[in-house]
Amino acid sequence: MLTIWVTGGAGFIGSHLVRHLVRQKPDCRIITIDALTYAGHLANIADVLHASNHVFLKTNIADASALREVWDSYPPDWIFHLAAESHVDRSILSPLDFVYTNVVGSVNLLEIARQRWKGHSDVLFYQVSTDEVYGSLGETGFFTESTPYNPRSPYSASKAAADHFVRAYGHTYGIPYIISNCGNNYGPYQFPEKLIPLTITHLIERKPIPVYGEGKNVRDWIYVEDHVRAILLLAERGKRGHTYLIGARNTRPNIEVVAYLCDLYDEITNTQNSRSLITYVKDRPGHDFRYAIEPSSHLFALGWAPKVSFEEGLRETLLWYLSHPEWIEAVRSEEYTQYYIQQYKERLG
Ligand code: NAD
Ligand code: DAU
């Protein structure tokens, strides 16, 4: 029986991955490893939490001895590594948290893998990474597999460091690995601090919607389920030691995304003039201008293609948030309120 770890499995993308694995692989043991920080919630995986092939372990990957204990009980064949501090704005406020989890935590995992996977070739360390490691583009161009790393925020620097460690451990100790770098995910269960869920929750609560700078920064959006299908396919059939770019060729300026959501909200809820909530606020320091991904051709050769258009995905997402007020309530903690005040008080007054 294959044992599969998903670190960060109670977070946004991780929860979608865990759900697929638990359902698609009844003969595998799926182990969710998550510290349940402000961004991780058992509510995200409630529907599979008690499945017979699933085990949840509250564990901090920055704690090497705790990880060793988990390994002794549930030695993995595959590790999907998603646990991370993932929010750029928070990385600007507290960079060291990002070093502890994203760098030290990742190296802790690699260290144990190096020691315990000696002589095993049918194992896999799958590093889920970001397009932000490539830096910022101007008006034109795309990130490709050969674009050099040029991280520019504490978040992206910590993810780049982790990616480098994964490659170094693959090269030096022979750990079979795959890295995939993806753009901005959106969909159900995304913590309401990122642009799309923040906009949706503010629409519901009729609060100002903060748009940084002039709203012209461009992001490359992908529906979370399309990302997760790509990860699963690459784990099964991707080349070990390879880096893949995952994207849906869907670049949009932020203001376009926010305005579209306002109009969609008006249509679905029979409201008027939600665009009046849009509020331009002080920009993010060091704000990367544009991300755009040229997805790896090998992904398409394996038969992957994004299935969900941006319009369909945003509608699904908005409807999900509208029908899950209890989830929104449950995931917002006192810590979130403190963060929100720190991040937006001056900006929104
Ligand atoms: P998220 O913030 O929603 O979830 C992160 C999860 O990691 C949470 O459940 C949290 O509790 C857990 N975690 C944090 N620190 C931990 C620690 N020290 N030990 C154990 N668990 C810990 O993040 P997400 O958006 O789901 O992103 C998942 C991964 O995908 C991250 O590695 C991120 O860098 C990467 N990624 C995200 C996006 C995106 O748009 N969201 C895009 C590309 C790549
Ligand atoms: O590109 C992939 C990355 O996308 C992931 O690696 C990160 O984990 C994920 O958080 C995301 O990073 P961004 O910084 O692009 O996401 P965020 O949702 O925070 O911001 C998206 C854009 O919207 C960005 O240009 C900043 C802007 N923004 C964001 C917030 C929270 C606003 O204008 N107002 C806001 O209040």
Side-chain angles (χ1 to χ4, degrees):
M1 188 183 21
L2 216 60
T3 298
I4 300 176
W5 283 16
V6 181
T7 74
F12 164 49
I13 302 172
S15 64
H16 287 264
L17 180 60
V18 165
R19 201 168 294 111
H20 276 275
L21 286 167
V22 168
R23 289 180 181 154
Q24 284 174 17
K25 295 188 177 291
D27 299 335
C28 296
R29 195 162 57 161
I30 314 304
I31 315 293
T32 298
I33 291 175
D34 199 297
L36 299 182
T37 68
Y38 77 93
H41 298 276
L42 290 180
N44 296 356
I45 47 171
D47 46 351
V48 291
L49 189 59
H50 301 297
S52 56
N53 62 336
H54 180 242
V55 176
F56 172 79
L57 299 168
K58 184 171 181 214
T59 308
N60 190 328
I61 60 163
D63 179 347
S65 68
L67 274 183
R68 276 193 293 273
E69 276 175 33
V70 173
W71 195 295
D72 290 341
S73 305
Y74 302 99
D77 301 282
W78 286 3
I79 298 175
F80 289 99
H81 178 34
L82 290 88
E85 288 290 342
S86 72
H87 189 32
V88 174
D89 290 323
R90 287 185 186 254
S91 83
I92 294 166
L93 295 172
S94 353
L96 275 175
D97 293 344
F98 286 67
V99 176
Y100 296 135
T101 289
N102 300 3
V103 186
V104 176
S106 300
V107 178
N108 277 341
L109 281 166
L110 288 164
E111 261 302 275
I112 303 180
R114 165 172 90 85
Q115 291 155 11
R116 310 278 172 97
W117 274 349
K118 241 180 220 153
H120 293 247
S121 56
D122 51 351
V123 290
L124 173 64
F125 191 100
Y126 192 120
Q127 162 79 350
V128 175
S129 191
T130 170
D131 60 352
E132 299 199 12
V133 296
Y134 298 113
S136 179
L137 294 164
E139 295 288 349
T140 59
F142 295 93
F143 299 135
T144 69
E145 285 170 18
S146 55
T147 304
Y149 274 33
N150 181 24
R152 292 150 41 103
S153 72
Y155 164 69
S156 53
S158 68
K159 290 295 291 186
D163 292 4
H164 286 317
F165 271 107
V166 173
R167 285 195 193 94
Y169 271 65
H171 180 74
T172 310
Y173 306 113
I175 292 181
Y177 73 87
I178 286 177
I179 299 176
S180 59
N181 300 79
C182 186
N184 288 59
N185 285 229
Y186 69 98
Y189 298 104
Q190 187 167 31
F191 190 75
E193 64 185 354
K194 309 268 172 84
L195 182 67
I196 287 181
L198 185 92
T199 300
I200 293 175
T201 49
H202 283 214
L203 278 166
I204 295 171
E205 291 156 9
R206 311 311 289 163
K207 291 195 333 210
I209 299 166
V211 172
Y212 297 162
E214 296 176 16
K216 290 182 178 162
N217 299 62
V218 173
R219 294 294 180 266
D220 197 343
W221 296 95
I222 185 169
Y223 193 62
V224 60
E225 287 286 319
D226 281 331
H227 182 194
V228 165
R229 280 190 308 105
I231 292 173
L232 289 167
L233 182 65
L234 290 173
E236 298 281 356
R237 296 175 54 200
K239 287 185 219 155
R240 276 41 185 168
H242 201 79
T243 295
Y244 292 89
L245 263 69
I246 302 173
R249 293 199 178 106
N250 180 39
T251 56
R252 315 270 172 155
N254 294 333
I255 187 60
E256 200 184 289
V257 175
V258 171
Y260 185 84
L261 277 170
C262 290
D263 296 349
L264 191 60
Y265 182 87
D266 284 352
E267 179 214 311
I268 290 175
T269 63
N270 203 16
T271 309
Q272 280 181 352
N273 202 18
S274 287
R275 284 190 187 208
S276 64
L277 296 173
I278 294 174
T279 310
Y280 291 96
V281 299
K282 188 164 158 252
D283 209 350
R284 172 186 280 174
H287 198 174
D288 284 344
F289 176 60
R290 177 171 163 269
Y291 305 141
I293 294 167
E294 180 52 40
S296 297
S297 54
H298 190 223
L299 245 187
F300 295 116
L302 291 174
W304 179 87
K307 281 187 178 164
V308 182
S309 73
F310 200 40
E311 291 70 23
E312 286 166 337
L314 287 180
R315 184 175 286 270
E316 281 283 313
T317 305
L318 179 49
L319 288 171
W320 186 86
Y321 279 87
L322 284 168
S323 58
H324 289 80
E326 76 299 339
W327 181 88
I328 299 173
E329 181 67 29
V331 301
R332 280 180 176 165
S333 55
E334 176 58 25
E335 191 278 344
Y336 174 75
T337 310
Q338 290 310 321
Y339 162 76
Y340 184 85
I341 291 169
Q342 199 175 358
Q343 181 67 15
Y344 293 105
K345 192 171 174 216
E346 251 182 50
R347 286 183 159 106
L348 289 172

